[in-house]
Amino acid sequence: MTAYLDIHPVDPQPRLIRKAADIVRDGGVIAYPTDSGYAIGCQLGNKEGLERISRIRKIPSTHNFTLVCHDFKQLGQLVIVDNAAYRLIKALTPGPFTFIMKGDAIVPRIMVNPKRKTVGARIPDHKTALALVDELGEPLMSSTLILPGRDEPETNGWSIREEIGHMLDGVVEGEIGDAGATTVIDMTLPDGPAIVREGAGDASDYLVS
């Protein structure tokens, strides 16, 4: 049976955060709220979990999965960050941004874009998401929960449970940030970082699309 965890958005209950983290540690796949809609995630290195996420979302093998991190230190352990990237990421995080970056060798191969060797990375501005990642002690392998045939992320835990709960091990109920997917910034382009998808985050003071 799919666990349904109603977590307080301002003061996340440690007991429920631990339960959500335990589901992930046990190999489960969960839907959880972020500052830009719902995401779907599993434990770092969980190949079967990523395959399940791919089936739920019907995404191609070239999809950039995202490392959802608690802070910059955690992010910097898994992706290659030069000085320019450091300054930009520090300026925009935490927030609704996903950065496409070259993955370090320790990033599970299954979540790296096979052609570009890239992976997404982000630090959300969301108490529940950050508490979950903090409890795990490592990044959460994730993808924005946009279901097939739709353009925007899911926004309600109860509707996710009703629609695809049978495909998940847990659903975390909680408030989300501004509707819409993250703004995606590619940090690997020859001419420097650029916005490749406009979303919930405003990076206009730093980059042009």
Side-chain angles (χ1 to χ4, degrees):
M1 181 180 293
T2 303
Y4 183 72
L5 308 173
D6 192 355
I7 296 181
H8 195 281
V10 177
D11 189 18
Q13 305 95 314
R15 175 181 61 86
L16 297 182
I17 291 294
R18 284 194 297 272
K19 187 170 182 178
D22 285 342
I23 293 171
V24 173
R25 292 189 186 105
D26 290 341
V29 173
I30 66 169
Y32 65 98
T34 77
D35 51 353
S36 60
Y38 265 78
I40 182 171
C42 65
Q43 188 173 29
L44 198 65
N46 182 352
K47 181 179 178 181
E48 181 181 350
L50 280 188
E51 290 172 345
R52 287 174 61 190
I53 292 171
S54 296
R55 289 196 297 271
I56 291 169
R57 286 209 51 203
K58 298 188 185 307
I59 48 181
S61 61
T62 54
H63 177 77
N64 277 297
F65 284 95
T66 298
L67 295 160
V68 175
C69 303
H70 182 267
D71 51 33
F72 187 86
K73 180 180 179 181
Q74 196 175 67
L75 181 150
Q77 294 172 346
L78 294 168
V79 293
I80 299 171
V81 184
D82 60 21
N83 289 336
Y86 173 85
R87 291 191 294 270
L88 181 61
I89 294 170
K90 290 290 282 186
L92 295 176
T93 59
F97 298 91
T98 298
F99 303 93
I100 304 301
M101 308 180 75
K102 294 291 185 181
D104 193 88
I106 64 174
V107 176
R109 184 178 300 177
I110 188 174
M111 72 176 300
V112 176
N113 183 296
K115 293 183 178 180
R116 301 183 60 208
K117 309 304 180 186
T118 54
V119 65
R122 69 174 302 229
I123 305 169
D125 187 11
H126 193 277
K127 288 189 175 182
T128 299
L130 291 177
L132 175 58
V133 175
D134 189 39
E135 173 64 28
L136 282 171
E138 63 182 19
L140 190 62
M141 296 197 299
S142 292
S143 179
T144 303
L145 184 46
I146 301 175
L147 294 176
R150 300 179 188 174
D151 298 321
E152 296 293 335
E154 296 300 302
T155 58
N156 293 293
W158 60 266
S159 62
I160 293 170
R161 182 178 64 169
E162 289 291 322
E163 189 165 1
I164 62 167
H166 63 287
M167 305 174 73
L168 302 169
D169 299 291
V171 176
V172 175
E173 183 65 72
E175 294 181 3
I176 62 169
D178 296 334
T182 57
T183 290
V184 178
I185 301 174
D186 195 330
M187 309 293 288
T188 68
L189 300 175
D191 295 330
I195 297 170
V196 295
R197 183 183 74 189
E198 295 278 2
D202 182 7
S204 58
D205 289 342
Y206 302 91
L207 296 169
V208 296
S209 34

